[in-house]
Structures are given as structure tokens and as C-alpha cells.
């Protein structure tokens, strides 16, 4: 059984700030990275779903990674999202991330074109073998339209670079079986963070962590210390924030950027279409949830 926290224990899938003209705001990127590192994080995921990777270019992803590395140095592990629905593009992203010097790659199941199990396996194999950087597979059927099969997991864990899974299926029993296969599990669902940690996850990859990094650190540390009573109390205090962040359509970049604006880390909540920024009523509801959780 694996219990190695290859990429740290408290990670957030970081937003990508934008300027008024829609270009990537690298100064904003660095502000967010420093904010997270100063609030409980020992890992950052760059250019994941919450980073709006579906609408950023290969060049922008490289610039964003370099900006984060310059901002935080070696204070945290940096994981680069390289998953797309085009294997060639994913290989290109993986190779450029390796050149930047990242600590890990996040590889989501190909979306939209919905390959079968053999296609998913070969996609993973091709990208994972393109570099020697450790890989975290990402299983999120609500966004990709397919679930990674257990046979695929059984094969992928035999490869040198594949070591972890970001789990967003909600299947705690299967997660336990993946741990038995040798995977390190990271919770990919803030609402299930406590449950995943109690089932043996080594850490979390969060969205709420944009606003609640210190609380996530307390939660992870309490579970690691075997203090489940404190962990439950910490989780319960976070629930209003979790509900608020996850309570709107297309939560993630939209809610995280609005939370950072409320916290004063960013001065805007711009996203790229087809996403649209939260309206004032949605921001008011988010503010209420963050306040109830003691974060504002």
C-alpha cells in the first residue's frame, strides 16, 4: 500500500487571472501563488480545470508555470495540468512542463471524444512515457463523460511515472482498492475531503483552498495525527464555504476568482468565455458562505 505524498498534502488547483484584454495576468498569477503558499499549501496545481486550461494556449501554460516557479521557488511542489483530448498536445504540454522543472503532471481522462478503455490506456501510456516526471491521473467523469476502468488502473500503476490519482468519482470503496494497488490518492472533491482522508488519501487537490488554505491544512494535519474529532470540527466549520463555492453552475474558476476578489488577493473576477463571471447576487451568496465559515 502506498502512502507517499508525492506532490504534497494540501494543494489547490489554481486559477489563472486575466487582464482586461483577456491575456494572462502573470503578476496576478504570482499574487495567487504566493497567497496560497502563505496559507497552508505545500503544493499547487497549475493549468488544471480551475485554471481554465481548456481555453489557455500551450505558450500561455508555459508562461504561467514559469511565473509560478519564479514566485514561489522550491517552497512547494508544482504540478502541471497537461490533460487534453488530443494526445499530441498533451505530450507537448508534458515536455514543456518538464523543461520548466515541475514536480508532477496532472493527466485527466480525454474529454468530449470519449475514447474507450483501450484508447484511454494508450493516451495515458503515451503521455506518461514522454517524460520522467511523476504523474497523477485525474478521474472526473462529471466533466469527461467517462470513468477510468479498474483494468486501466491496474496496468498504469506498473509504469515508472504513474504514482497517484486525483479522485473525483465519489467512489470511496474503489479508492481504497486503488490504494491497495499502490496509488497515492488525492481527494478531488472538497465536499468529500474528510471522507477521502479518513479512507487513506494522502492529501487534497482543492478549489475552496483559494480561500481556506489554513483550514485545509488543519484538516489534513488532524487526520494525520489521528485526531478525527478535531478533523470533523474543522470540516464542519468549512461546510458553508464549500457549499458556497460549489453551489453555482460551472463552479471552480468562477467562484474561486470571486473569492480571491473578496479576500483582496485579486482586483477582478474575470474568466474566459464560455465561462462568465459571477453576478452580484452570486457574489453575495458566496460572501455569505465565506463569512459563515469564518473566512471573511
Amino acid at each position: 500500500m502506498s502512502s507517499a505524498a508525492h506532490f504534497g498534502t494540501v494543494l489547490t488547483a489554481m486559477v489563472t487571472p486575466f487582464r482586461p484584454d483577456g491575456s494572462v495576468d502573470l503578476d496576478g498569477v504570482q499574487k495567487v501563488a504566493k497567497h496560497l503558499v502563505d496559507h497552508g499549501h505545500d503544493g499547487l496545481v497549475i493549468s488544471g480545470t480551475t485554471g481554465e486550461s481548456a481555453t489557455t494556449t500551450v505558450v500561455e501554460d508555459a508562461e504561467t508555470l514559469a511565473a509560478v516557479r519564479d514566485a514561489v521557488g522550491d517552497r512547494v511542489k508544482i504540478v502541471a495540468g497537461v490533460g487534453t483530448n488530443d494526445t499530441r498536445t498533451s505530450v507537448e504540454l508534458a515536455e514543456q512542463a518538464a523543461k520548466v522543472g515541475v514536480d508532477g503532471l496532472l493527466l485527466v481522462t480525454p474529454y468530449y471524444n470519449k475514447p474507450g478503455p483501450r484508447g484511454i490506456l494508450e493516451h495515458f501510456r503515451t503521455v506518461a512515457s514522454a517524460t520522467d516526471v511523476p504523474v497523477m491521473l485525474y478521474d472526473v467523469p462529471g466533466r469527461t463523460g467517462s470513468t477510468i476502468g479498474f483494468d486501466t488502473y491496474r496496468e498504469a500503476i506498473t509504469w515508472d511515472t504513474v504514482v497517484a490519482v486525483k479522485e473525483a468519482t465519489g467512489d470511496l470503496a474503489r479508492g481504497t482498492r486503488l490504494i491497495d494497488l499502490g496509488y497515492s490518492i488525492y481527494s478531488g472533491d472538497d465536499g468529500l475531503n474528510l471522507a477521502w482522508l479518513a479512507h487513506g488519501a494522502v492529501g487534497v487537490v482543492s478549489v475552496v483552498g483559494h480561500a481556506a488554505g489554513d483550514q485545509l491544512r488543519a484538516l489534513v494535519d488532524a487526520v494525520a495525527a489521528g485526531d478525527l474529532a478535531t478533523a470533523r470540527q474543522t470540516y464542519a466549520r468549512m461546510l458553508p464555504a464549500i457549499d458556497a463555492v460549489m453551489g453555482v453552475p460551472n463552479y471552480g474558476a468562477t467562484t474561486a476568482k470571486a473569492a480571491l476578489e473578496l479576500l483582496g488577493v485579486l482586483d477582478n473576477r474575470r474568466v474566459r468565455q464560455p465561462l462568465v463571471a459571477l453576478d452580484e447576487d452570486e457574489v453575495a451568496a458566496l460572501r455569505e458562505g465565506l463569512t459563515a465559515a469564518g473566512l471573511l
Side-chain angles (χ1 to χ4, degrees), residues 75-141:
R75 295 170 63 191
V76 296
K77 302 287 188 180
I78 296 177
V79 179
V82 300
T84 72
N85 63 346
D86 174 39
T87 305
R88 294 171 301 173
T89 300
S90 289
V91 168
E92 183 179 5
L93 288 168
E95 290 174 341
Q96 80 169 10
K99 290 177 182 177
V100 172
V102 300
D103 301 288
L105 304 175
L106 180 69
L107 183 55
V108 72
T109 316
Y111 42 83
Y112 185 70
N113 39 20
K114 293 183 69 174
R118 189 159 60 90
I120 292 172
L121 180 66
E122 293 309 314
H123 174 81
F124 285 164
R125 189 196 309 273
T126 300
V127 180
S129 64
T131 76
D132 60 0
V133 180
V135 172
M136 180 192 302
L137 302 179
Y138 182 17
D139 202 356
V140 56

Side-chain angles (χ1 to χ4, degrees), residues 35 39 41 208-217 238 241 263 295:
H35 163 76
H39 290 279
H41 288 73
V208 179
H210 285 94
D214 292 328
Q215 292 74 16
L216 282 174
R217 168 55 58 201
M238 290 176 62
L263 291 167
L295 302 175

Side-chain angles (χ1 to χ4, degrees), residues 146-202:
S146 60
T147 302
I148 301 173
F150 206 78
D151 287 342
T152 300
Y153 278 124
R154 191 177 286 112
E155 171 66 18
I157 195 62
T158 67
W159 307 336
D160 290 340
T161 54
V162 175
V163 296
V165 178
K166 179 183 176 185
E167 242 294 346
T169 70
D171 191 337
L172 296 163
R174 190 177 72 149
T176 300
R177 296 185 179 100
L178 291 177
I179 294 171
D180 289 341
L181 279 183
Y183 285 96
S184 295
I185 299 296
Y186 286 80
S187 170
D189 182 344
D190 278 307
L192 289 177
N193 282 342
L194 176 57
W196 276 118
L197 291 167
H199 277 74
V202 299

Side-chain angles (χ1 to χ4, degrees), residues 194 197 215 218-224 226-238:
L194 176 57
L197 291 167
Q215 292 74 16
L219 175 67
V220 168
D221 288 350
V223 175
D227 186 357
L228 291 182
T230 296
R232 284 193 294 269
Q233 292 170 359
T234 303
Y235 173 75
R237 286 196 298 270
M238 290 176 62

Side-chain angles (χ1 to χ4, degrees), residues 34-89:
K34 291 175 182 177
H35 163 76
L36 294 175
V37 174
D38 289 342
H39 290 279
H41 288 73
D42 54 4
L44 301 174
V45 175
I46 313 302
S47 298
T49 305
T50 307
E52 298 178 70
S53 59
T55 57
T56 58
T57 68
V58 172
V59 171
E60 287 174 331
D61 288 351
E63 292 172 343
T64 302
L65 282 173
V68 171
R69 179 59 82 190
D70 288 345
V72 302
D74 296 326
R75 295 170 63 191
V76 296
K77 302 287 188 180
I78 296 177
V79 179
V82 300
T84 72
N85 63 346
D86 174 39
T87 305
R88 294 171 301 173
T89 300

